[in-house]
Amino acid sequence: MAAIEIEGLRKEFGADTVAVDDVDLTVEEGEVFGFLGPNGAGKSTTINLLLDFIRPTDGRIEVFGTDVQEDPLAVRERVGVLPEGYGFDPLLGREYLEWAIETKDADDDPDELLDLVGLADDADRYATEYSKGMQQRLAFAMALVDDPDLLVLDEPSTGLDPNGMTTMREVVRERAANGTTVFFSSHILSEVQSVCDRVGVMNDGRLVAVDTIEGLQANL
Ligand code: ADP
Ligand code: ADP
C-alpha cells in the first residue's frame, strides 16, 4: 500500500487561480520524497489538501489507504506536520510539546523531543521569545510527536541556521531508517537533494517531473 496516493487533484481559488492543476502522485511507504518548486507553485496547497485542511475542487487523496475526505481524523492521527509559518502564542516551549503530546494522546517525553532538536536549555522560555530558527525547531519537535508514520515538512529550513538544518537532516534520516515516510517540501534544490530518494517538481500548479535526483540531473 502506498503512503500517499493522489489522483486528479485540482484546487482552484476563485475564478483565476489554479493552485493545483490535475496532479497525480504516488509516494511509497518508507520513501523520503522531495516536493520541489518555486514559491507559488502549489506545494502548501497540496499539503493543506493532504490533511483535509481545505477541500479539493476535484480529485482525491488517500493516505495509507484512507481517503482523507472520508476520514480526516484517521489520517491526521498517523501524520506529523511541520506547517509553513506556524503562529506561536505566549506558551513555554515545553508547554507546546505537552499540548502536542496530549492532542495526539501520545506518551512521548517532552524534554526528550526538545533535546533532540537542540532546545533543552530553552524549554522554560516563551516560544514567542524564540528566534525564527528556534521556533522552527519547536514546530519540528511537535511534528515528531507520537512517531508519525508520515512526516510532512513544509519549507522546514525557514529561519534555520546551518546547525539547525543539519539536525533536521539527521533526524529525518534517522526516522526514515526506522520506516517513517517523509514528504519534504522546499523551494531549494540542494535541501531536497541531500535527504530525498525521489523528487516531484511542481511548477504553476502542475507536477512537471517525478524522478530520482540522478534522473532529474540527467535531464537538466
Ligand atoms: P507554494 O506553497 O508552492 O509556495 P501555494 O500552494 O501556497 O504555493 O500557492 C499556490 C498558488 O495558490 C499561489 O498563486 C497562491 O497565491 C494561491 N493561493 C494559495 N492559497 C490561497 C488562498 N487561500 N486563497 C487564494 N489563493 C491562494
Ligand atoms: P507559501 O510559500 O506556502 O505559498 P504563502 O505565504 O504564500 O506561503 O501562504 C501562506 C498561507 O496563506 C497559506 O496557508 C496559503 O494557503 C495562504 N495564501 C497564499 N496565497 C494566498 C492568497 N492569494 N490569498 C489568500 N491566502 C493565501
Side-chain angles (χ1 to χ4, degrees):
M1 186 206 307
I4 302 173
E5 187 83 61
I6 297 177
E7 269 176 33
L9 191 67
R10 183 179 179 85
K11 180 64 182 178
E12 299 169 7
F13 290 108
D16 300 324
T17 307
V18 183
V20 176
D21 192 355
D22 201 21
V23 166
D24 296 297
L25 172 66
T26 302
V27 176
E28 300 298 341
E29 222 176 317
E31 251 192 305
V32 180
F33 189 85
F35 201 47
L36 183 69
N39 286 330
K43 304 184 301 297
S44 294
T45 301
T46 303
I47 288 172
N48 288 334
L49 291 163
L50 185 69
L51 291 151
D52 197 51
F53 293 149
I54 57 174
R55 288 285 162 108
T57 307
D58 206 350
R60 55 199 296 274
I61 305 179
E62 284 186 5
V63 177
F64 299 115
T66 301
D67 186 308
V68 298
Q69 286 200 64
E70 279 170 18
D71 200 346
L73 295 183
V75 167
R76 286 178 207 156
E77 235 168 55
R78 300 185 65 177
V79 182
V81 197
L82 168 58
E84 208 194 14
Y86 192 95
F88 286 94
D89 292 315
L91 288 173
L92 304 179
R94 184 184 293 106
E95 288 176 329
Y96 262 106
L97 258 299
E98 286 167 350
W99 171 71
I101 290 165
E102 199 182 306
T103 304
K104 279 210 157 174
D105 205 9
D107 56 7
D108 299 77
D109 176 351
D111 289 306
E112 213 170 280
L113 283 169
L114 287 165
D115 189 37
L116 184 67
V117 300
L119 286 176
D121 295 339
D122 302 287
D124 294 309
R125 288 179 57 200
Y126 285 105
T128 38
E129 290 170 3
Y130 284 3
S131 69
K132 284 273 172 261
M134 290 163 73
Q135 289 182 341
Q136 197 69 353
R137 287 164 185 261
L138 180 57
F140 183 51
M142 287 161 69
L144 296 173
V145 164
D146 204 26
D147 194 9
D149 297 318
L150 172 62
L151 187 57
V152 176
L153 309 173
D154 196 356
E155 299 283 354
S157 73
T158 306
L160 274 190
D161 53 287
N163 264 339
M165 209 40 226
T166 304
T167 305
M168 168 115 33
R169 265 200 298 271
E170 282 170 4
V171 176
V172 164
R173 287 208 187 94
E174 179 255 324
R175 291 289 167 122
N178 286 311
T180 304
T181 307
V182 183
F183 191 80
F184 189 120
S185 173
S186 171
H187 67 282
I188 303 167
L189 172 65
S190 62
E191 246 172 46
V192 300
Q193 200 168 5
S194 62
V195 284
C196 298
D197 304 316
R198 282 197 310 152
V199 178
V201 182
M202 286 290 281
N203 192 32
D204 209 8
R206 260 172 279 218
L207 186 62
V208 294
V210 181
D211 209 336
T212 58
I213 291 285
E214 296 74 29
L216 284 178
Q217 280 170 335
N219 288 312
L220 280 181

